[in-house]
Structures are given as structure tokens and as C-alpha cells.
Amino acid sequence: LDQLDEDCRERLGKNPLRVFDCKVDGRKDFVLAAPTIADRLCGPCTEHFGGVRSGLEEAGVGYELDPRLVRGLDYYTRTAFEWISTNETSVQAATFNAGGRYDGLAEALGGPATPGVGFALGLDRVRMAMDREGLPRAAARASRCFVVAVGEGDARAAAHRLVDELRDAGVPAERSYEDRPLKAQLKMADHAGAAFAAMVGERELAGGVVTLRRLADGEQETIAMEELAGRLLREDP
């Protein structure tokens, strides 16, 4: 305890995990020697965290594991995260986005049990980081294509990749981040103002194609996945 300052002693009494976040005078020896959360996960949490990491790897998002990363509020559960810029010299200045899961928060406030995830974003830090890296500030556009996963597993992973590919090609695209039936996803596409829905299921994956539906009139056709972005960029809805 003699290594803790007054603020960290107060944290120890209220929320012991917050001691990991004591940044005064750097990381203390006792913090580095303490057991890590990652080494003591329960079975369901281990499986969940494995899914998070697999999703990041499938999306090509680089990450580093920090077994002592904690958030400042008690309602966080399971995964916590920070997004940092590698162009800054200090951790505090480099962090421009931080958050995590809080699956029990809605229920604690009197609502139904509801999964939750959120973050706080420093817009000024994001804009400064973009300027330093020479990234353009694109204007917001309505979704042109809503990617629909028909089924689970491979279809959801393919939908995730397809959204990324469309966005990289300059096509505003969205998808559902929950397991929802086809009809519900098409309803989401309408609400998003999308002109097209690109449906990916077992049949499409086997043939390397998507079923493209024009939402205005329901007309649909089969098109090769690699041709989808070009088609959406040149065709009027």
C-alpha cells in the first residue's frame, strides 16, 4: 500500500480493479506482479473473448492485448478496449476512443436484460490524428447497400467482409450486427435508406456470388462478389 497515492488508495476501497489504472509515476511493481484478469476467465467469458479476437482478425484489425486495461465505471462487463494513434508519444494523448461491454446496465436501471456496448470518442483527437496522417474528411452519405446474411457462421463472416470491401471501394454499406431473420434484415435495409440489399447465404458462398435486390421494386439478380462494388458505383437506384 505504501506505493499507492491517495487517489489509488481510494480506488482500492471502492473498486480494486481500478488500481490497475493508476498511472501516477508509471506502472507500480506490485501492479505488474499481480495476477491478470485474462488468466482467470470463466468458460463462457473465455469463449466470448475468443469470438471477439476472431472477429478482429477476420476484419484485418490489428490489436494488442493489455491484461491490465480497465474502465473507470463499475458497470462494464467482459471486453474493454481503447483505440490509440501510433503517432503520439504518450498513452493519454494517443487514446482517442475507449469503451467496452455493459450487458447488465439496462437491467440494473430497471429495464429488460439487454446486451450493451459503447464508447466515448474524442472527436478533436480523431480530427487531429486524421490531419497528421493525411486522411481526407469524407462527407457522410446514406447507405447505398445493406448486406444481408442468410444464415449464420460463414454467411455472417462473409457479410462482414463484404461490407468492409464495399466501404473500401467507396460504396456506403451497412449490415445487421445481430442474428436476425431475413425479413427483419430487409426491414433494417429499408429504414437505413439503402437502395440495394446484397444477400449472402450458403448457395451464394458456394458460387462466389451475391443475390442483389433493388429495394424500390424488388427486382433481383445474381452477380459475382468481385463485381458488386463496381455495379453499385455505376448504377442508379
Side-chain angles (χ1 to χ4, degrees):
L1 292 179
D2 58 348
Q3 297 184 46
L4 294 175
D5 59 21
E6 183 177 351
D7 179 57
C8 288
R9 288 194 186 96
E10 185 176 351
R11 292 181 183 184
L12 182 63
K14 294 181 178 179
N15 183 352
L17 290 179
R18 289 291 314 283
V19 176
F20 286 140
D21 199 34
C22 288
K23 296 183 174 67
V24 180
D25 298 329
R27 288 280 173 88
K28 305 293 190 297
D29 291 340
F30 76 92
V31 172
L32 296 176
T36 66
I37 300 172
D39 293 334
R40 287 162 173 77
L41 295 179
C42 65
C45 290
T46 299
E47 182 179 358
H48 181 274
F49 192 47
V52 172
R53 296 178 65 180
S54 295
L56 291 171
E57 290 160 5
E58 289 174 2
V61 177
Y63 65 90
E64 293 183 7
L65 293 180
D66 184 346
R68 297 176 178 84
L69 176 66
V70 295
R71 304 303 311 140
L73 299 170
D74 290 348
Y75 54 67
Y76 280 99
T77 58
R78 290 185 168 170
T79 308
F81 58 83
E82 290 182 352
W83 293 358
I84 63 172
S85 169
T86 56
N87 288 335
E88 300 291 350
T89 56
S90 69
V91 174
Q92 288 88 344
T95 301
F96 60 85
N97 182 314
R101 295 201 65 85
Y102 37 83
D103 292 337
L105 181 58
E107 193 171 8
L109 295 175
T114 306
V117 62
F119 56 86
L121 179 69
L123 290 177
D124 53 344
R125 291 187 179 182
V126 171
R127 295 185 67 170
M128 288 188 291
M130 291 177 66
D131 290 343
R132 278 191 290 271
E133 296 183 21
L135 298 175
R137 299 180 184 178
R141 293 180 289 173
S143 295
R144 182 159 178 77
C145 182
F146 195 96
V147 179
V148 175
V150 184
E152 301 179 0
D154 291 343
R156 284 181 56 80
H160 188 163
R161 290 193 300 270
L162 189 55
V163 167
D164 286 343
E165 291 169 3
L166 291 174
R167 289 174 176 174
D168 288 343
V171 178
E174 285 293 344
R175 68 180 180 94
S176 172
Y177 291 90
E178 297 179 282
D179 291 327
R180 295 195 175 191
L182 173 62
K183 186 175 180 180
Q185 291 185 71
L186 291 174
K187 189 173 182 179
M188 291 178 66
D190 279 330
H191 288 169
F196 296 93
M199 292 173 280
V200 182
E202 184 177 342
R203 180 182 65 83
E204 285 82 6
L205 287 175
V209 299
V210 298
T211 299
L212 185 65
R213 176 181 295 185
R214 190 194 306 269
L215 295 177
D217 55 18
E219 180 181 343
Q220 64 183 46
E221 61 184 302
T222 300
I223 183 172
M225 283 190 181
E226 63 269 19
E227 297 176 3
L228 179 61
R231 178 66 173 276
L232 292 171
L233 285 170
R234 66 175 179 266
E235 182 171 331
D236 292 331

